[in-house]
């Protein structure tokens, strides 16, 4: 529960940074160098998932209710996290407005964290549901989780066996899970393959200036957009 609290805290600070024109990386480095806090679990993103954090937050909240001491903090940690799972969709809507439903979106990363095929409570599920509901054509890639995603979504998605194949004729690329395979893409090739050069980086994997100089509109978490 404490780790989940740190994640919701840094995500809330990231959203505040975007509103104020600040950079969450500066904030993260500033507080992380305090040894009482440290850097672990202070990385902003699209919310936590998996089998442990959501279950443990819920269990602690219900236990506190049973003994007549409702946990306002655990309820808020969960509420912040559920709201954060909407952040990638919101950035796409900001970028494309009412035309989002006419677009093709590529998604890199479906599992709740790298090096697993586990999609339980994964932020990618919220994004996929939102996009499909809006009528978006969705192309997906994940090194391990695609069989589990296919069980959930059937043929409503286009499944791609290569990251670069996913972005062909896409109007935007959204990065949800920070797999090492996505860390150093060829931005020249990406731009050539995509229909429009838009990247929504849910894990702050790239340097904003580098991506903007490559000709992309670049949205990340807790940092100002580039290339608009």
């Amino acid at each position: 529960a404490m780790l989940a609290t740190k994640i919701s805290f840094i995500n809330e600070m990231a959203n505040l940074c975007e509103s104020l024109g600040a950079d969450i990386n500066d904030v993260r480095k500033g507080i992380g160098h305090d040894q009482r806090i440290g850097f672990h679990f202070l990385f902003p993103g699209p919310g936590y998932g998996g089998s442990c954090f959501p279950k443990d937050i819920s269990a602690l909240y219900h236990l506190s209710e049973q003994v007549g001491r409702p946990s306002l903090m655990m309820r808020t940690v969960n509420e912040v996290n559920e709201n954060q799972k909407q952040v990638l969709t919101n950035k796409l809507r900001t970028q494309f407005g009412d035309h989002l439903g006419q677009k093709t979106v590529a998604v890199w990363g479906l599992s709740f964290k790298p090096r697993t095929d586990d999609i339980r409570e994964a932020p990618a599920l919220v994004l996929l549901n939102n996009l499909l509901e809006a009528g978006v054509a969705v192309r997906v890639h994940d090194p391990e989780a695609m069989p589990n995603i296919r069980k959930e979504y059937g043929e409503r998605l286009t499944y791609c066996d290569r990251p670069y194949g996913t972005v062909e004729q896409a109007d935007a690329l959204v990065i949800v899970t920070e797999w090492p395979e996505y860390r150093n893409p060829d931005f020249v090739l990406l731009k050539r393959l995509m229909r429009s050069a838009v990247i929504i980086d849910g894990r702050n994997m790239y340097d904003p200036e580098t991506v903007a100089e490559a000709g992309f509109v670049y949205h990340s978490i807790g940092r100002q957009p580039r290339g608009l």
Side-chain angles (χ1 to χ4, degrees), residues 93-122:
R93 287 177 173 146
T94 297
Q95 178 66 37
F96 295 115
D98 295 337
H99 300 291
L100 177 59
Q102 304 164 21
K103 303 299 181 180
T104 296
V105 172
V107 178
W108 280 0
L110 304 168
S111 56
F112 85 92
K113 66 177 183 178
R115 305 193 187 285
T116 181
D117 66 355
D118 195 342
I119 62 171
R120 286 176 288 182
E121 304 284 344

Side-chain angles (χ1 to χ4, degrees), residues 2-222:
M2 186 66 237
L3 298 178
T5 300
K6 289 185 73 173
I7 294 170
S8 282
F9 171 82
I10 200 64
N11 281 335
E12 189 162 273
M13 293 303 102
N15 296 336
L16 182 61
C17 283
E18 287 191 29
S19 296
L20 294 173
D23 188 327
I24 188 59
N25 279 345
D26 295 334
V27 175
R28 186 180 64 82
K29 291 174 184 176
I31 63 177
H33 281 295
D34 187 324
Q35 293 182 357
R36 298 168 297 177
I37 299 171
F39 287 103
H40 293 298
F41 293 87
L42 279 184
F43 294 93
Y48 59 75
S51 62
C52 295
F53 286 0
K55 171 179 61 66
D56 291 346
I57 290 291
S58 178
L60 189 54
Y61 177 77
H62 288 297
L63 176 63
S64 67
E65 278 199 321
Q66 289 172 8
V67 297
R69 294 182 179 273
S71 174
L72 299 179
M73 181 174 287
M74 293 302 97
R75 184 176 68 187
T76 302
V77 166
N78 179 68
E79 183 178 349
V80 169
N81 191 62
E82 291 305 302
N83 288 340
Q84 193 69 13
K85 289 182 178 182
Q86 300 291 337
V87 70
L88 300 177
T89 305
N90 291 341
K91 289 178 182 297
L92 284 168
R93 287 177 173 146
T94 297
Q95 178 66 37
F96 295 115
D98 295 337
H99 300 291
L100 177 59
Q102 304 164 21
K103 303 299 181 180
T104 296
V105 172
V107 178
W108 280 0
L110 304 168
S111 56
F112 85 92
K113 66 177 183 178
R115 305 193 187 285
T116 181
D117 66 355
D118 195 342
I119 62 171
R120 286 176 288 182
E121 304 284 344
L125 302 182
V126 175
L127 174 66
L128 296 179
N129 291 339
N130 289 343
L131 294 180
L132 291 172
E133 184 177 350
V136 176
V138 185
R139 301 170 61 83
V140 299
H141 177 271
D142 187 283
E144 295 188 24
M146 285 205 292
N148 289 334
I149 287 289
R150 190 185 288 271
K151 291 176 185 176
E152 293 289 327
Y153 291 92
E155 300 310 310
R156 290 186 289 163
L157 308 172
T158 299
Y159 303 92
C160 304
D161 59 3
R162 296 174 297 110
Y164 289 114
T166 316
V167 304
E168 291 180 0
Q169 293 302 300
D171 296 289
L173 167 62
V174 183
I175 301 161
V176 188
T177 312
E178 66 275 31
W179 284 92
E181 289 87 339
Y182 307 146
R183 187 158 296 280
N184 295 296
D186 182 337
F187 290 112
V188 174
L189 177 58
L190 279 181
K191 188 177 181 185
R192 187 163 71 242
L193 292 172
M194 296 176 69
R195 184 157 49 212
S196 59
V198 177
I199 294 177
I200 313 289
D201 184 356
R203 297 294 178 176
N204 290 1
M205 295 187 75
Y206 310 133
D207 173 67
E209 297 304 325
T210 299
V211 183
E213 288 174 4
F216 286 86
V217 173
Y218 180 67
H219 299 266
S220 53
I221 307 294

